[in-house]
Amino acid sequence: MLINNLLFSTFWGLVMKIFVDTADLDEIRELASWGVIDGVTTNPTLIAKSGRSFKEIVDEIFKIVDGPISLEVVGTTAEEMVKEARQLAGIHRNVVVKIPMTAEGLKAVKTLSKEDVKTNVTLVFSANQALLAAKAGATYVSPFIGRLDDMGHEGMQIVEEIVDIFGNYGFKTQIIVASIRHPVHVVQAARLGADVATIPPAVIKKMVKHSLTDVGIQRFLEDWKKVPK
Ligand code: G3P
């Protein structure tokens, strides 16, 4: 099984993508400079938190990261969402339009998929919601793991279910594990074979650190001083 998975991933060049879940430009700049960021996800809360205008933020993000950038609609009817999505998609070739998981959202995704507008169905809290989004033609679905954990559920379980369901039927819709709260969530997402983890900057910074790495570097540097010059 392990060998099969390995051969499959190697053949298709698959590796879990890492998106940064923020609208903070300084954080995006810093993390992009590490060379491990494949895309960015935002939402109205993150945009509001940044204290800058929407236009200012998105113009800059496109300059920093050349990968999928999720921008969310705020309309509530399919008609409003489609109109907004077309405008957002016109901003840049990397735009992915975030659409909320509602019946109106599904209608909008169906229309947009026929126009090749990339969509990310957000606020997904069950495998059934993900199944419907995939059937409507979503490019991505975003199960919100941390918010389920907050309610006393095992959030990662729905990721496992969605991976199984999409695998059973060959859906091309990619799974973005979202609402990640700590590094263990990232390991779990990768072990389940999620396509993408969208991670807050603070968690990405925790992923890079290990106290034994720091101690090890310190000791190597100290010992190097003892080497005769
Ligand atoms: O990508 C979704 C994410 O921004 C939601 O995270 O921490 O508000 O549940 P959180």
Side-chain angles (χ1 to χ4, degrees):
M1 185 62 177
L2 187 66
I3 297 287
N4 278 348
N5 285 352
L6 195 63
L7 287 174
F8 182 80
S9 309
T10 310
F11 182 75
W12 291 105
L14 294 176
V15 64
M16 187 176 76
K17 291 186 263 314
I18 292 182
F19 292 176
V20 57
D21 193 28
T22 187
D24 184 319
L25 295 175
D26 293 334
E27 296 278 28
I28 297 172
R29 235 176 253 117
E30 181 189 348
L31 295 169
S33 75
W34 295 3
V36 293
I37 300 302
D38 302 296
V40 180
T41 52
T42 66
N43 62 37
T45 306
L46 294 172
I47 300 276
K49 226 189 263 179
S50 76
R52 301 185 194 221
S53 77
F54 180 72
K55 186 176 174 351
E56 198 184 343
I57 292 167
V58 296
D59 284 352
E60 202 53 35
I61 293 178
F62 292 122
K63 288 186 201 150
I64 307 169
V65 177
D66 185 16
I69 313 294
S70 287
L71 307 174
E72 190 155 342
V73 298
V74 288
T76 51
T77 66
E79 203 183 354
E80 287 164 354
M81 291 183 208
V82 168
K83 192 172 167 214
E84 255 184 272
R86 286 176 183 147
Q87 283 164 356
L88 291 171
I91 299 177
H92 195 279
R93 67 187 154 79
N94 285 341
V95 168
V96 175
V97 183
K98 256 179 148 177
I99 306 275
M101 178 57 226
T102 59
E104 288 299 301
L106 290 178
K107 289 185 215 167
V109 169
K110 186 77 189 174
T111 303
L112 294 166
S113 71
K114 288 187 203 139
E115 298 175 14
D116 284 332
V117 172
K118 294 190 189 71
T119 52
N120 171 359
V121 175
T122 187
L123 293 164
V124 166
F125 292 97
S126 74
N128 275 331
Q129 288 182 321
L131 174 62
L132 292 173
K135 283 196 65 94
T139 316
Y140 301 94
V141 286
S142 288
F144 274 34
I145 300 315
R147 292 193 196 182
L148 280 168
D149 287 357
D150 292 345
M151 300 279 292
H153 296 289
E154 181 58 63
M156 208 49 80
Q157 196 179 325
I158 71 157
V159 175
E160 197 174 342
E161 291 168 357
I162 299 168
V163 168
D164 280 351
I165 292 167
F166 285 10
N168 283 347
Y169 300 108
F171 281 117
K172 292 205 190 90
T173 304
Q174 295 184 46
I175 304 166
I176 303 182
V177 178
S179 184
I180 281 179
R181 297 280 159 76
H182 50 71
V184 177
H185 275 153
V186 183
V187 173
Q188 290 170 328
R191 291 192 71 180
L192 289 171
D195 302 286
V196 185
T198 188
I199 316 175
V203 176
I204 300 180
K205 288 179 182 176
K206 283 182 190 160
M207 288 165 65
V208 83
K209 293 289 281 183
H210 199 291
S211 57
L212 289 178
T213 307
D214 299 339
V215 170
I217 290 171
Q218 197 58 38
R219 191 182 302 165
F220 284 152
L221 293 178
E222 288 303 322
D223 288 344
W224 184 248
K225 288 182 195 154
K226 298 174 200 156
V227 175
K229 303 287 171 335

